[in-house]
Amino acid sequence: MTHTPKGNVVADSMHVGEQMNRHVSYTGSAVSMYAHMGTHIDALNHFGLNGKIWNGFTEEQYLGDRGWTVTGAEKLPPIIARGVLIDVAMAKGLQQLPDNYRVTRQDLRAALAKQKVTLEKGDVVLIRTGRMQHYEQAQAYMANPPGLSLDAAKFLVEDGGAMVVGADNLSFEAFPSEVAGNYLPVHTYLLAQQGTPILKLVDLEGLSRDKVYQFAFIGASLKFRGGDAAPIRPVALPIR
C-alpha cells in the first residue's frame, strides 16, 4: 500500500504539478529574524521595572505564549511628527563622540543653542553621536558606544516633551550603568516609566552633513504582534 503524505492531498486536489507549475508559478516565503536588527523601534514592553512594564502591566496577566497581549509592536501607530536632530558630536567639533561618552543635559542644551532649535511637545528627537560612521565594521560600531545619560533622557522627555527619542548607536544609553542595581536605567525610565519608544541604529549622517536639524518625520514600523520591537524605515523631509 502506498502512503501519500498529507501535504500532497491539497496539491492533488488543485491539480498542480510539473505541468501546472510551468504555466502558473508560485513562490512562498518565511521570515525569521531578531526584532532588534537594523533600524528599529523599541516597543513599550521591551523593558520593565519592578515586575511591571508600561502602564503597570504584569507578565502574569498579559504575557501569552505568542508574546505580550498589550503594548506590543503592533500597537505602535504610524508616526508623523516634527523631527529634531541634536548633533552633539558636531556641537563639540567632533566627527564622533569618544568611546563610552555619556551625553549630558548640558550637552543637549548646548547643541540645541548652536543649532538655534527649541524642542516642542510631541517631537521625535534624534541624537547624533557619530557612531554610525563605523556601521560597516560591526565590532567598532558595537564596542564601548557613547550614549545618553539618565539626566539627558529626562531633559528630552520631561522638559522637552519628546514623544519618541532615538540615536545612531545600538544601545541609546552609555555603559557602564550609572544606577546601581539597574543595568539599563535609561531604557527602564523611557519605556517602563514614561511610555516613550526608542529608535535605534538610525543613520543621521546625511542630516548632519546637510545641517538639517528640523524636518517632517514619517515612519511606520512592522506590526509584529506581541513583539518588543520592529524594523522601521523612517523618512526625513526638511522643513523649508
Side-chain angles (χ1 to χ4, degrees):
M1 178 176 180
T2 302
H3 174 70
T4 302
K6 291 183 178 179
N8 288 344
V9 174
V10 175
D12 290 345
S13 68
M14 297 175 67
H15 306 292
V16 298
E18 183 177 354
Q19 183 177 356
M20 180 62 75
N21 285 339
R22 289 176 180 176
H23 177 54
V24 180
S25 58
Y26 163 83
T27 301
S29 300
V31 177
S32 177
M33 64 176 292
Y34 182 52
H36 298 265
M37 293 175 63
T39 305
H40 65 274
I41 185 168
D42 289 348
L44 301 183
N45 57 9
H46 182 37
F47 268 83
L49 190 64
N50 299 321
K52 298 178 182 179
I53 60 172
W54 168 247
N55 213 27
F57 296 132
T58 63
E59 62 176 310
E60 290 85 0
Q61 191 170 4
Y62 295 104
L63 182 58
D65 58 357
R66 295 189 178 183
W68 290 87
T69 60
V70 291
T71 73
E74 83 280 8
K75 306 293 186 183
L76 294 169
I79 302 169
I80 302 175
R82 186 181 81 139
V84 173
L85 168 67
I86 304 183
D87 198 337
V88 178
M90 179 280 300
K92 291 181 171 293
L94 302 171
Q95 287 294 315
Q96 180 181 173
L97 296 179
D99 285 358
N100 296 119
Y101 183 82
R102 203 180 302 276
V103 176
T104 68
R105 176 186 293 251
Q106 186 53 40
D107 288 335
L108 299 179
R109 283 177 168 166
L112 286 168
K114 190 167 187 176
Q115 297 172 188
K116 297 181 174 57
V117 175
T118 301
L119 296 182
E120 299 176 3
K121 186 177 181 180
D123 284 343
V124 174
V125 184
L126 304 174
I127 311 301
R128 178 177 176 268
T129 69
R131 180 52 66 112
M132 185 56 66
Q133 295 170 86
H134 290 320
Y135 183 73
E136 297 298 329
Q137 295 79 44
Q139 187 58 36
Y141 179 75
M142 294 188 294
N144 305 312
L148 260 68
S149 66
L150 181 58
D151 190 51
K154 290 181 177 180
F155 168 75
L156 294 179
V157 175
E158 297 179 27
D159 295 358
M163 172 177 65
V164 176
V165 296
D168 56 357
N169 63 359
L170 177 63
S171 61
F172 192 72
E173 59 191 285
F175 301 104
S177 172
E178 59 189 310
V179 177
N182 186 339
Y183 69 100
L184 282 175
V186 176
H187 276 66
T188 54
Y189 166 75
L190 290 171
L191 299 171
Q193 295 180 285
Q194 295 297 321
T196 305
I198 307 171
L199 288 159
K200 308 273 191 61
L201 288 89
V202 186
D203 188 352
L204 302 173
E205 294 306 295
L207 294 176
S208 174
R209 180 187 62 246
D210 297 337
K211 296 181 171 55
V212 176
Y213 304 125
Q214 301 178 73
F215 45 90
F217 179 99
I218 302 172
S221 53
L222 295 184
K223 301 294 186 180
F224 286 170
R225 183 177 299 175
D228 55 279
I232 186 171
R233 180 170 288 183
V235 175
L237 302 178
I239 299 174
R240 304 296 182 187

